[in-house]
Structures are given as C-alpha cells and as structure tokens.
Amino acid sequence: MGINYLYPEYEVVRNMDRCINCRVCERQCANEVHSFDEERKIMCSDDALCVNCHRCVSLCPTRALKIVKTDHTFKENANWSGRAITEIYKQAESGGVLLSSMGNPNNYPVYFDKILINASQVTNPSIDPLREPMETKVFLGSKPKKIERDKDGKLINNLSAGVELAMPIMFSAMSYGSISYNAHESLARAAQEAGILYNTGEGGLHKDFYQYGSNTIVQVASGRFGVHKDYLEAGAAIEIKMGQGAKPGIGGHLPGAKIVGDISKTRMVPEGSDAISPAPHHDIYSIEDLRQLVYSLKEATDYKKPVIVKIAAVHNVAAIASGIARSGADIIAIDGFRGGTGAAPTRIRDNVGIPIELALASVDQRLRDEGIRDNVSIVIGGSIRNSGDIVKAIALGADAVYIGTAALIALGCHLCRSCHLGKCNWGIATQRPELVKRLNPNVGYQRLVNLVRAWNHEIKEMMGGMGINSIESLKGNRLMLRGLGLNEKELQILGIKHGGE
C-alpha cells in the first residue's frame, strides 16, 4: 500500500455524552463518513470522506456533532502554502486536472464591501416605502431612441421584444443535470410566484416545466443541448451563453454518470454518454457571426422574444459588450469570477476573470460614452449575496441581477463546494433519487419566494433612504455611492468618489 500524503481537511467532532447511537448521521451521509461499530457499540467517523456539508450536524437530534477545520499543518512557508502542497500531492497521485465547484473562493477584493450608499437628510427628503409609491418593477430589453406618433398624434408602439420583472432579480442559469429535478421545480415555481424569471441553463427544459414558460429564460450554449423550436418558443427570453464567470474561455462537461433518464431525453444526448460543450460556438468567430445567430433566434420565434448574450467578466469586457450591443442583442448578461458552477478546472476558476463590480462599471460607462446604452439592458451576476449588493450594482449601471449561489443557499446548500461529485446531501446538485427527494419543492419554492420578497422590501427601504422612488432613477446613479479604502484607479473605473468627498 502506497503512502497517503493527504491529511483530512475536516474533522468530525462527536460528543459521546450526547450521542444516542440513533444512526441518523449514517443514514443521511451520502459520502459514507459515519458508521456504527457493532463491537464497541459506538458511532465512528472517517474524516477523510467529509466534505463539510453539515447534513449530519443539522439533523442530529441531540446536537452531538460539529465539523471543524483540521489544525494539522505544514511547516510555515510564505510561498508554499498547505493548499499548494496538497494540490500537488493530488495531481501527482491522479495525473488529472483538479476540479472544483462554485465560484472563486480566494481572497481577492470584494468591491461591494468597499462601497457605501448615500442617504437623504434635509434638502432631499427621504421616502417612506410603506406610505408612498415605490417602483421596483423592471423592463428589460432595447429602448427606443425616440417617441414616435402617427398622423393623429397617437403613440406608435416601436418597442422591441422585452420582459417585465416585478423586481430587479432573476435566478441565474443552472442546468437540469447539474442540479436536480426538484431544484429546477423550486426555481420555476418561485419565479412564477414572485413575477420574475429563472434560467434553464444549457441542459434544455424538462417537459413538466413548459407550463412555467412565461417565467423562463431558455439558454442556447455551444453544445446546443436540448435546443429545438418548441424549446425556443417556450421561454419568455432566449440567452446565448458565450462565457461563464467561473470558467471563462472554456466549455462545459456533464459526466455520463449524470446523463440518465429524463436528463438524457431533455438534453437529447444518449444515456450514459458525456455531455461536452466546446469552448467556442463553432459558428461564432466574430461579432458578425454572433449577430447572425441573434437574428436567427429572433426569426425562429417571430421576433417575440428578447435575446440575451451572456459573457464572462474578463479584461476587455467593455469592448466585447460594445460589439454585443451592436449585434442586435437586447440584453447583455455579465458573469463575474465569483459566479458559481457545478464543476470547473480549479486553475481556471481561481485565476481567470475579473470582479463583477469593475466589469459592470466599465461596460456601463463604455456604452454611455458611445451613445448606445439604451440599445441593451445589462444584467450582472457573480456572487450577489444580499439586497445591498443589488442596490450598489444598479447604481453602478445594472438593470437587474442574476442570483444563483444565493438561491441554492436558500434551498439548503451549505457551500461545501463538492457539487461535481454528484453526492449532494441536500438534494440539490445530485441525480441520485434517494438524495433528490430530500429537497421538497413545496418547501423549496416558498423559501426562494421569501428570499426575493425580503430583498425587494429591503431595496425599497434603501431607495427610500436615498430619496429615490424608482429603480430607473437609481440605475447608473453613481453619485449615490462612495468608496472606502480604494485607490485612485479603482475609483476611476468604478466611477465613484471616495468617502468624505
């Protein structure tokens, strides 16, 4: 037997005075961490298998369990961290690419946490959202350059196809296959109840969810999985996925082990075969090619659906967005490097892309400078954690935001970042029937509705405090923001002043 260089990252601490040997932890753990020692009549744990998902901790009836990070350490070295050493051990053992889930976890600046919001005092009185009208409804799509009237003076409807949201929030793209049927149902029902949209991701749309079409964004990715005429016509909008924040510049891969049953049918991929999305769309190598696909999708749906183009936040994102705004797209979606994913190469996730705050500000300013800001709406995602982030994003220039990780946390996700293993103990990122059933859609969708409605209320409270009564008045209003601890270049890109100015 070879030497195992890896020490468990987490340790299961069991209070034996509280443990009653009920074996709930054993039954609930898909990673097989817990077991019962028949000879000693006690519960045991294999720490090496623990991913810190907290399922056992949450369900233990006597609170006998807790998970702690191991204090085992390597000799201190400012250059060679314990993580760097451990990853080399793993690759030397396997010869494979390191995979990770969710977004970039590294200690890069979170600019939302370095931006503060203004408040009204005397000359511009605040507004009480409980007693005065407050508009958080949002319309996404291209805006007309001017108002036109016919010979009788009546308004001519020259609006392009668009979508209406009851609040500036949407559920971001998560495919059926990467997440479970019950998770998708929860998102779809919540979107319908809250008057917003959810995104199918690149895995097609299950036949059961066509009933939620008016609250659905259908995605067209490079693999074209599950894309057909009925699918395109089912949604309220169509999104072309060009990039993803967690893995810019590369494609997707859903292992054959997850291509089973309805997932195979929905994606139109043979059961058991890997679903691999190539890095580029093989029919798009220029803005002109993108324009052709945009108009092909519009033509296929009789120009009744707005087309979104989703890109990752990368260094030249403003120039890319400028081209997309001229391609005929109605909405640009920008995904920051903290955006979640079911699986991504660790090196790509941790080293490629830029923070969404900088990308958003630079794109909004570029489009304004070129006089084409009204050609498109801007939707951003990539670790929107609360309503404060949303208000700051809109003030930086966004029309609305995508939330993905926050939505999964509302469903019970504990961010153990092991989605790619397919053993999600909370029934979210798994296709194993015994695990999927742990997520009750009746409970899940209500938790999602509670979350977005609570955030919407908080958005109104913050807008009222600023003396603003509509999202439209907040959009791009960077005078309402001040930075703290930022250098001159960061303030310049964000388009805001420092606190105290």
Side-chain angles (χ1 to χ4, degrees):
M1 180 178 177
I3 299 174
N4 184 356
Y5 293 96
L6 303 176
Y7 191 86
E9 187 176 359
Y10 304 102
E11 296 178 9
V12 179
V13 179
R14 190 184 307 273
N15 187 326
M16 301 309 293
D17 292 333
R18 292 183 182 178
C19 182
I20 57 175
N21 294 339
C22 63
R23 302 178 73 168
V24 167
C25 55
E26 181 183 13
R27 293 191 296 272
Q28 290 293 324
C29 183
N31 298 296
E32 301 180 342
V33 172
H34 306 276
S35 60
F36 183 68
D37 188 318
E38 293 286 356
E39 186 175 329
R40 294 187 293 159
K41 302 298 181 185
I42 60 170
M43 294 299 300
C44 302
S45 306
D46 184 348
D47 296 341
L49 300 176
C50 181
V51 297
N52 197 18
C53 76
H54 291 191
R55 180 76 181 184
C56 59
V57 175
S58 299
L59 271 67
C60 179
T62 60
R63 296 295 187 204
L65 293 169
K66 65 179 179 180
I67 312 297
V68 298
K69 192 168 180 63
T70 181
D71 56 7
H72 172 72
T73 185
F74 292 94
K75 192 168 185 177
E76 190 171 332
N77 187 313
N79 184 41
W80 289 98
S81 65
R83 178 184 173 187
I85 296 169
T86 298
E87 288 178 342
I88 288 176
Y89 286 155
K90 288 180 179 179
Q91 290 191 286
E93 177 71 24
S94 69
V97 172
L98 294 172
L99 289 179
S100 299
S101 301
M102 306 313 290
N104 191 319
N106 291 341
N107 191 27
Y108 293 118
V110 180
Y111 288 97
F112 284 137
D113 291 344
K114 297 185 177 185
I115 297 174
L116 295 177
I117 300 167
N118 190 27
S120 298
Q121 295 293 294
V122 180
T123 57
N124 180 28
S126 57
I127 300 169
D128 185 349
L130 296 177
R131 294 172 176 82
E132 299 180 59
M134 187 71 68
E135 186 62 78
T136 55
K137 185 181 293 184
V138 174
F139 295 89
L140 300 181
S142 178
K143 308 295 191 297
K145 291 182 172 59
K146 60 181 180 178
I147 295 175
E148 297 180 348
R149 298 179 184 273
D150 61 19
K151 61 182 180 180
D152 298 321
K154 295 181 180 179
L155 287 174
I156 297 174
N157 185 353
N158 56 356
L159 289 172
S160 302
V163 291
E164 178 182 332
L165 305 175
M167 59 192 81
I169 303 170
M170 300 189 290
F171 298 129
S172 57
M174 292 175 277
S175 70
Y176 176 45
S178 68
I179 62 173
S180 67
Y181 178 99
N182 289 5
H184 250 259
E185 181 180 344
S186 298
L187 292 165
R189 290 172 61 182
Q192 183 182 65
E193 179 74 16
I196 59 176
L197 303 182
Y198 89 106
N199 193 312
T200 64
E202 63 173 299
L205 182 63
H206 192 284
K207 63 182 185 302
D208 293 350
F209 302 146
Y210 275 66
Q211 61 182 306
Y212 305 109
S214 58
N215 298 92
T216 303
I217 297 170
V218 294
Q219 191 178 82
V220 176
S222 59
R224 305 290 202 268
F225 299 122
V227 176
H228 50 85
K229 185 171 176 58
D230 290 344
Y231 169 74
L232 296 174
E233 291 181 342
I238 302 169
E239 179 175 273
I240 302 170
K241 176 191 169 187
M242 297 300 301
Q244 185 175 345
K247 43 186 175 182
I250 67 171
H253 180 190
L254 189 69
K258 291 187 176 183
I259 308 294
V260 294
D262 285 347
I263 297 169
S264 169
K265 296 175 184 175
T266 302
R267 288 187 175 239
M268 301 190 299
V269 174
E271 195 160 338
S273 61
D274 289 9
I276 299 175
S277 301
H281 289 248
H282 286 304
D283 52 355
I284 300 177
Y285 293 93
S286 65
I287 292 297
E288 291 76 16
D289 291 342
L290 174 62
R291 179 179 176 86
Q292 188 170 359
L293 178 57
V294 167
Y295 278 95
S296 293
L297 294 172
K298 289 187 174 189
E299 187 74 29
T301 53
D302 297 324
Y303 291 84
K304 295 177 182 177
K305 319 283 184 183
V307 174
I308 308 166
V309 176
K310 177 183 177 180
I311 56 174
V314 291
H315 299 168
N316 60 338
V317 66
I320 296 168
S322 174
I324 293 171
R326 292 175 166 84
S327 73
D330 303 287
I331 303 164
I332 301 174
I334 311 170
D335 198 19
F337 73 163
R338 287 191 174 89
T341 182
T346 304
R347 291 293 164 262
I348 297 289
R349 186 198 67 174
D350 293 354
N351 293 282
V352 183
I354 62 173
I356 189 59
E357 304 95 322
L358 299 178
L360 165 62
S362 63
V363 167
D364 178 68
Q365 193 59 53
R366 173 77 174 249
L367 298 185
R368 289 178 187 275
D369 290 345
E370 296 181 357
I372 55 174
R373 179 61 182 86
D374 286 340
N375 286 15
V376 290
S377 296
I378 298 175
V379 177
I380 64 109
S383 199
I384 298 296
R385 304 159 299 172
N386 52 55
S387 57
D389 289 350
I390 297 174
V391 169
K392 294 170 188 177
I394 293 171
L396 285 173
D399 291 87
V401 303
Y402 267 138
I403 64 170
T405 303
L408 297 187
I409 291 173
L411 291 175
C413 170
H414 280 60
L415 277 186
C416 69
R417 303 202 301 268
S418 54
C419 316
H420 56 290
L421 301 176
K423 297 179 181 180
C424 178
N425 281 310
W426 296 96
I428 301 169
T430 182
Q431 304 307 325
R432 289 170 53 172
E434 74 277 13
L435 300 179
V436 171
K437 70 180 182 182
R438 292 179 179 180
L439 176 59
N440 184 340
N442 294 322
V443 176
Y445 102 89
Q446 191 59 60
R447 290 179 62 84
L448 289 167
V449 171
N450 290 346
L451 176 71
V452 296
R453 284 181 175 168
W455 284 9
N456 192 44
H457 180 76
E458 290 173 339
I459 290 169
K460 290 180 179 180
E461 292 279 2
M462 284 183 277
M463 285 170 49
M466 288 185 275
I468 292 174
N469 64 1
S470 73
I471 289 291
E472 195 62 32
S473 298
L474 176 63
K475 186 176 72 176
N477 191 347
R478 302 185 199 188
L479 291 174
M480 291 291 132
L481 303 176
R482 290 294 184 271
L484 286 182
L486 301 175
N487 62 41
E488 285 297 324
K489 192 62 178 179
E490 290 169 324
L491 292 169
Q492 177 190 337
I493 294 171
L494 292 167
I496 63 176
K497 295 180 179 180
H498 199 279
E501 288 191 81

